[in-house]
Amino acid sequence: MNNVSHSSSSSSSVNSASISASDPNVGRSRSGDGSQTMAAEPSRRWRDVFWLGIFMIHLILVGGALAVLGLNRFKKSDRLNLDQYTKNYLENQKGFTEDYWPLYALAGGVGTVLGWTWLLFLGSQASHMMKIAVHILTTYLAVLSVLCFWMEQFFWGVAFAIGAGLLFLYVLAVIDRLPFTMLVLQAAVKMVWSLPEVMRVAYAFMLIMLLWMGIWSFGAAGVVALGIGDGGRWWLLVVLSVSLFWTGAVLCNTVHVIVSGMVFLVLSHGGREASSIPSKSLMKSLRYAVTTSFGSICYGSLFTAAIRSLRWKIRGVRSKIGNNECLLCCVDFLFHLVETLVRFFNKYAYVQIAVSGKSFNHSARDAWELFQSTGVEALIAYDCSGAVLLMGTLLGGLITGTCSGVWTWVKYRDRVAMVGSTAMLMGMILVGIAMVVVESAVTSIYICYAEDPLLIHRWDPEFFNQMSEMLHQRLQHRSARAREVLTHNRVDNHHTLETLPF
C-alpha cells in the first residue's frame, strides 16, 4: 500500500525517536499494532557544551561592549573618554545615545505588535496572512526600492530592487507548489492552535528577546551617535548585528525545540486529549531545551538559516534551467555541495534534539537519513512552507524598518540607513519567534510521518491521505526523471562510440 509503504524502512529508528520528549525517566516505544509500550530512557547528557560556552562568553562580552558604547554618549559627550582611542577618525559630530534610542524603541514596539498579532490571529486568519505575505512582499520591496532612490539611498535602492527581482523569480519557480505548501501549513496551524501552552511560550520568549533588544539598542544607539565616521560606525553595527542575529536565532530555535517536543508527544500519544500524556510535559520540554540541549541549539543556530536559504534559492533556479547542460552542471555542483551541508545542518535536527537529546550533528544526520530511507525527502523538497514563513518574517522586518527609517529621516537624515537596517533586523527576529511556532509543528509532522505514517493517520486521516498521495506523485516524478536522465546518457554514450575512429 503506497500510503504506508515507507514505514517499514524506518522501523529501526522508531524506538529511538519515539521516546517521550517530556520525561527523563520514562520513554515510550510503539508496537506493531500502534499501542504504547513502556521503555526506560537513560538520563540525558549535556551536548555540544563547547558551543554553549562560546555563546555565553559572547553574550557577556557583547553585553559589556553595549553598555560601554551606550553610556559613552548618554547625556554627555564622550563620558568614558573613548574618543582618545579614535582621534584619527573623529568627524567632530555631536550626538547622544538618547537621540537615537527612541528610534529603536519604536522598532521593538512595532516588531512586538506584529509578532503578537500573528500569534493572536493564528487560528482564524493564519492562511490569509501567509498568502498576503507571499503576494505583497515583492511589491513592498519594489516600493521600498523607489523610496530609497528618492531619499538618495542608492545602495539600498539597488539592494531592494535586486531582492524584489529575485523574490519574483523564486515565486514563479515554485508557484505550482504553493497549494501543497498551504495544506501543510494549515495542518501545522491546526496542531499548534490545539496547544495554547506553546503559544504562551512564544509570548514569553518574545518578551525575553525584547529585554535583550533594549540593552542591544542602547549600545547600537551609542554607536550611531559616535563621531568616528560612517565606515567605523558601519563596522561596529555589522558586528553587533551578527551578535543580535545569533542571539535571536538561539531564542527562536529554543522555542522550536520546545514546541517540537510537545507536538511529537501529542502525535505519538494519539491526540491532545490522550490520558497517556505525562503531566507537566511543557515544563520538562522547556527544561531540556535550556539545559542539556542548549549547546546544540547554540551550535545549530550559527549555520542552519544560511544553509537553508541557499538551498531554497538553488532549488528554485535548478527547476527552471531547462536543457542548458553547462548551466545545469554548475548548478548541480552547488546543489550537491549544499545537500552535503544540509545532511549535517537542517531544521529537522531540532525535533530529534527535543525527542532524544542527541547532539546537533547527530540529530541532523539521523533526521536526513530517515527522510532519504523512507522517501519523505522528496516531499520535503517539494514543500515550501519554510520559505513562506520566511517571507512573512521578512515582511514584518521590512515594516518595522520602514517605521523607524521614516522617523529617522524626519529627525536625522544622515543616519536613516543605519537605523533603518538595524531596526529591520530587530523586527525580523521578533516576528520570527512568532513564526517558528508553526515551523516547529511542520518539522514535527514530517518526522512523525517518516517514523510511522499511522501517527498522522490517527490524528487527521484526510491530511494523511493528501500527504500520501503527494508523496506517491513526487516519487513517480523522480523515477521518471531518473529514467529520462539515464536514457539521455545512454544515447550520448552510443553517439560518442559511433564517432570514435577505429
Side-chain angles (χ1 to χ4, degrees):
M1 182 177 177
N2 287 328
N3 290 350
V4 295
S5 61
H6 65 283
S7 62
S8 60
S9 62
S10 62
S11 59
S12 63
S13 56
V14 173
N15 289 335
S16 63
S18 61
I19 294 173
S20 170
S22 61
D23 195 332
N25 300 314
V26 178
R28 299 182 185 269
S29 61
R30 184 170 302 278
S31 61
D33 61 355
S35 61
Q36 296 285 344
T37 60
M38 302 300 293
E41 177 190 359
S43 56
R44 296 196 178 195
R45 297 170 53 192
W46 288 75
R47 304 289 185 178
D48 297 311
V49 179
F50 173 78
W51 292 101
L52 171 61
I54 293 294
F55 179 74
M56 298 308 296
I57 292 172
H58 142 265
L59 276 187
I60 294 170
L61 294 178
V62 171
L66 290 170
V68 170
L69 291 169
L71 287 173
N72 185 57
R73 291 272 176 169
F74 187 68
K75 295 186 177 180
K76 181 180 179 182
S77 179
D78 198 26
R79 177 187 296 272
L80 302 180
N81 199 27
L82 295 183
D83 287 353
Q84 62 176 320
Y85 303 108
T86 59
K87 59 184 179 180
N88 293 329
Y89 308 98
L90 286 175
E91 293 182 345
N92 297 318
Q93 295 181 356
K94 294 183 178 180
F96 298 96
T97 301
E98 61 269 24
D99 294 337
Y100 304 100
W101 204 13
L103 306 176
Y104 287 112
L106 175 64
V110 172
T112 303
V113 169
L114 291 173
W116 283 4
T117 301
W118 162 256
L119 291 175
L120 184 63
F121 293 102
L122 183 60
S124 58
Q125 303 296 329
S127 177
H128 297 296
M129 290 191 292
M130 287 183 285
K131 290 177 181 177
I132 288 172
V134 172
H135 295 295
I136 287 186
L137 182 57
T138 303
T139 305
Y140 196 85
L141 283 169
V143 171
L144 281 180
S145 175
V146 174
L147 184 62
C148 287
F149 281 121
W150 178 75
M151 297 167 63
E152 298 182 353
Q153 299 290 331
F154 298 109
F155 172 81
W156 292 102
V158 171
F160 285 133
I162 294 174
L166 292 176
L167 184 61
F168 178 73
L169 294 175
Y170 175 77
V171 172
L172 287 180
V174 302
I175 196 166
D176 57 323
R177 307 181 189 180
L178 292 181
F180 175 72
T181 296
M182 297 309 298
L183 173 70
V184 174
L185 288 172
Q186 287 168 2
V189 168
K190 173 187 173 182
M191 169 57 74
V192 170
W193 195 246
S194 69
L195 299 170
E197 59 267 37
V198 303
M199 310 285 285
R200 291 192 288 270
V201 169
Y203 283 121
F205 272 79
M206 205 176 295
L207 287 175
I208 294 172
M209 189 71 243
L210 198 60
L211 291 175
W212 176 252
M213 282 183 175
I215 300 172
W216 185 89
S217 60
F218 181 71
V223 171
V224 176
L226 283 177
I228 60 174
D230 282 350
R233 284 193 294 268
W234 272 114
W235 276 111
L236 286 173
L237 287 176
V238 167
V239 171
L240 294 181
S241 295
V242 171
S243 169
L244 182 64
F245 177 82
W246 189 19
T247 306
V250 167
L251 287 184
C252 282
N253 291 326
T254 303
V255 175
H256 195 149
V257 169
I258 296 169
V259 178
S260 296
M262 287 299 299
V263 172
F264 190 95
L265 186 67
V266 169
L267 290 174
S268 64
H269 284 267
R272 184 66 179 88
E273 295 77 17
S275 59
S276 57
I277 295 181
S279 60
K280 298 183 180 178
S281 303
L282 179 66
M283 294 306 298
K284 292 174 183 177
S285 184
L286 173 63
R287 188 181 70 211
Y288 291 145
V290 299
T291 54
T292 56
S293 296
F294 195 63
S296 300
I297 295 171
C298 296
Y299 175 43
S301 300
L302 266 177
F303 308 105
T304 307
I307 294 174
R308 184 174 53 178
S309 300
L310 183 60
R311 184 169 181 259
W312 288 334
K313 292 294 184 184
I314 292 176
R315 278 191 179 276
V317 172
R318 190 169 180 253
S319 64
K320 296 298 180 182
I321 287 179
N323 296 322
N324 189 327
E325 294 186 6
C326 180
L327 184 58
L328 183 62
C329 180
C330 296
V331 173
D332 272 345
F333 171 76
L334 292 176
F335 176 76
H336 290 301
L337 178 62
V338 172
E339 287 294 297
T340 302
L341 293 175
V342 167
R343 181 181 177 88
F344 298 99
F345 297 97
N346 59 73
K347 62 182 179 181
Y348 303 96
Y350 297 115
V351 184
Q352 297 280 9
I353 289 171
V355 172
S356 55
K358 294 179 285 190
S359 66
F360 183 84
N361 284 145
H362 191 182
S363 299
R365 185 175 64 251
D366 285 355
W368 206 246
E369 288 177 353
L370 173 65
F371 291 144
Q372 290 187 323
S373 65
T374 57
V376 176
E377 191 271 333
L379 205 58
I380 291 172
Y382 189 73
D383 177 24
C384 300
S385 57
V388 171
L389 293 173
L390 179 60
M391 290 179 195
T393 302
L394 285 171
L395 183 60
L398 289 170
I399 293 173
T400 303
T402 301
C403 293
S404 292
V406 169
W407 191 12
T408 308
W409 171 259
V410 173
K411 298 186 68 175
Y412 314 103
R413 294 193 174 187
D414 58 331
R415 300 291 198 272
V416 63
M418 294 181 185
V419 175
S421 57
T422 47
M424 182 179 73
L425 177 61
M426 291 174 63
M428 286 180 60
I429 292 172
L430 290 168
V431 176
I433 293 176
M435 293 286 184
V436 80
V437 175
V438 177
E439 187 171 31
S440 306
V442 172
T443 55
S444 299
I445 287 171
Y446 276 120
I447 288 286
C448 287
Y449 186 69
E451 290 283 2
D452 187 351
L454 292 177
L455 295 176
I456 305 300
H457 183 270
R458 186 171 54 178
W459 171 61
D460 190 335
E462 182 181 357
F463 175 62
F464 164 79
N465 290 333
Q466 291 169 319
M467 281 192 74
S468 298
E469 179 62 28
M470 181 56 69
L471 175 60
H472 182 61
Q473 293 177 13
R474 298 313 303 168
L475 291 176
Q476 284 186 325
H477 173 77
R478 285 196 170 187
S479 298
R481 186 171 180 178
R483 286 194 298 269
E484 181 183 348
V485 171
L486 183 60
T487 303
H488 180 73
N489 289 339
R490 286 177 176 173
V491 171
D492 285 349
N493 291 335
H494 181 70
H495 178 73
T496 302
L497 289 173
E498 288 181 344
T499 57
L500 287 175
F502 291 98

